[in-house]
Amino acid sequence: MNFERWVLNDTQDPNNTGSNQGAEHGGALQQERDDDSDEEALELEQRHRVARERQRLISESLADRLSRYRKDKEEEDVCHVCKQKGHFSGFVGSKYVDCINKPCYICSNTGHSTGACPFKLAPQLYCTKSEDASFDGRGGVLKALYDRESGRRHLRKTVPPHAGPYTIDAAVVKIHARRTTCVAFHPEKPSIVLSGDKHGHVALWDIDKCFERTVYTEINKWLTNNIVYTGSDRFATSSYEGTVKIFDAEVGTVLSTLVSANPNGWHNVEEEDKAGRWITMIGLDCSTSSGIVYAGSNKGRLYVLDQRMHEPAHEVHAHQKKKLQCVSVHPTDDYLLLTAGNDYYARVHDVRKFGENTLQHELVSFEHPRVINAAYFSPLTGNKIVTTCQDNRIRVWDQWSLAALSDNGAPSREIVHSHTFNRHLTPFKAELCPHDPTERLMVIGRYISEDYNGTKLHPIDVFDLSTGRLLTEMVDPNLTTISPVNKYHPTRDIIVTGSSRSLYVWKKDESSHEDDAVYIPEEEGPSTSAPRSGRPCPSGSRHFILYDADNTSSSKKSSKRKKP
């Protein structure tokens, strides 16, 4: 049909000029349309190609992300403690998640996590109260006469005085070059605090005048373990240098060296230490009446040192070639000496028998399951013995002389507390309050941190020795490091803490009216001051005097980072 029309038109126009022109014009239009469609097809194909490539990349990225997520998830589900899959252990924020296959870190029992440990919620569990805490005062005059005639003392129920709350009153930050190892007080100058550090330096700080401090760097060459008062302005130090030295606190000069256990001197310390021959001095105490200094070494030997002599008066092998960690002189009978060491024993000695060639000087020994960090007589009467063991137990003997007569010598009570550590720290020691007439107050730092609404803090605990109850815990948002060194002032109602390189003074908050609510008798229910997770973070002390003794340390660190 179209062909015939074309033929007819062609015959009607012999020259065929119009048809040729129309054909040419139509062909141009058709060609233009074809070109446009080709460009659109190419552009569309290019878009599809880009879209497909983008989709492929997205798919591969999602697959890679998914595989990486699965891999990370598998790694998270592997416990880093027991190396088994299916659970996680470690810190989540400020909270620590325990491994479900391991015993509780605090009490070493199974069946619960560390956060839900019953001893953490109520440390007085299974503690037998002492007689002075359980005596109800009944019986009247006849009961008192019977007790007197039968040799028993008249007991009265006592309440620990000034158990808290405490707030930080003053602090000196970075007073030491390395971590604080010990704290002591000047009995004749109550405002002076002495402290030692890992480098062997000894610092003097006036807590009444916060900005006055002095650091003596030439007393010891290595870690200062203990500082004790020996009379006048003189103090004795025991150090890893292997020496016991007497120095003048006023000018910082060494007056005498009572013992130097390493004959080859400090210059051969590396060779001697590698060979196991280097001797360090650790435990230290001094008799206030006779002035005799007692020191213990890492080889288990006890040195009796007279300040008038240049060599030990006696040298006794008290603990079987193990560290002698602590020495404590009886406050009233200075011939009685308490020592504790790494051989798992706390021993009471009679120093009057040290010259004999037998072991008759040892009166009684109390066995422990692990290393003993410290062992002390009670500061006023010496009737009690308190030990700090690395099995997270504080053991108390109310009448150690009577316990010595029993078959097993078991303690009167065991207080479960977190003070076992697995890092380079000064050992935790339970320190008694020297001005508490009831001899019931005790302070010790806590190793495991507590969660205060996302803030991780390490409290300092004050216990009642007679019941094992936690009376108060001292925390401050300005103090975030672990505080292993804590000591009561001998006359003032303050506590000095050594944490890292700094010193803090805790003072009773006079504005608080909770004095009557701090001590809660056990019959009235569990202690409300026991730690709880997720508690509100305490506010900082209102009167907090802070002195930065080394304010250039931050600039030094930043300058070191800039170096290539």
Side-chain angles (χ1 to χ4, degrees), residues 53-66:
E53 182 66 20
R54 184 180 299 172
Q55 186 65 29
R56 185 184 65 82
L57 293 176
I58 292 175
S59 300
E60 291 181 356
S61 177
L62 289 175
D64 292 342
R65 291 179 183 177
L66 184 60

Side-chain angles (χ1 to χ4, degrees), residues 364-366 397-412:
V364 62
S365 61
F366 302 105
W397 285 264
D398 290 328
Q399 296 287 335
W400 66 267
S401 57
L402 298 179
L405 301 177
S406 62
D407 295 334
N408 53 6
S412 304

Side-chain angles (χ1 to χ4, degrees), residues 6 9-10 13 15-25:
W6 176 79
N9 292 333
D10 187 47
D13 189 5
N15 296 326
N16 202 17
T17 55
S19 62
N20 290 338
Q21 291 177 357
E24 292 177 359
H25 181 67

Side-chain angles (χ1 to χ4, degrees), residues 16 27 29 32 121 190 322 353 369 410 430 451:
N16 202 17
L29 291 176
E32 186 176 353
L121 304 177
K322 300 289 184 178
K353 299 182 179 180
D451 177 30

Side-chain angles (χ1 to χ4, degrees), residues 27 58 74 158 162 192 256 260 269 279 307 311 324 358 362-363 442 535:
I58 292 175
E74 290 177 358
T158 57
H162 308 300
I192 298 299
S256 62
S260 180
V269 56
I279 298 176
Q307 299 184 51
E311 59 181 13
L324 203 159
T358 62
E362 183 178 311
L363 302 180
M442 174 194 69
R535 288 164 291 174

Side-chain angles (χ1 to χ4, degrees), residues 108-158:
S108 301
N109 297 325
T110 57
H112 61 267
S113 63
T114 301
C117 178
F119 292 99
K120 182 179 180 181
L121 304 177
Q124 73 276 10
L125 284 178
Y126 310 116
C127 285
T128 304
K129 292 195 292 187
S130 63
E131 292 181 343
D132 59 348
S134 58
F135 180 65
D136 58 4
R138 298 176 183 177
V141 178
L142 293 178
K143 179 67 166 57
L145 289 174
Y146 173 78
D147 290 341
R148 188 190 69 177
E149 295 302 322
S150 60
R152 296 181 60 190
R153 59 189 180 91
H154 181 67
L155 300 174
R156 59 186 180 90
K157 190 172 183 178
T158 57

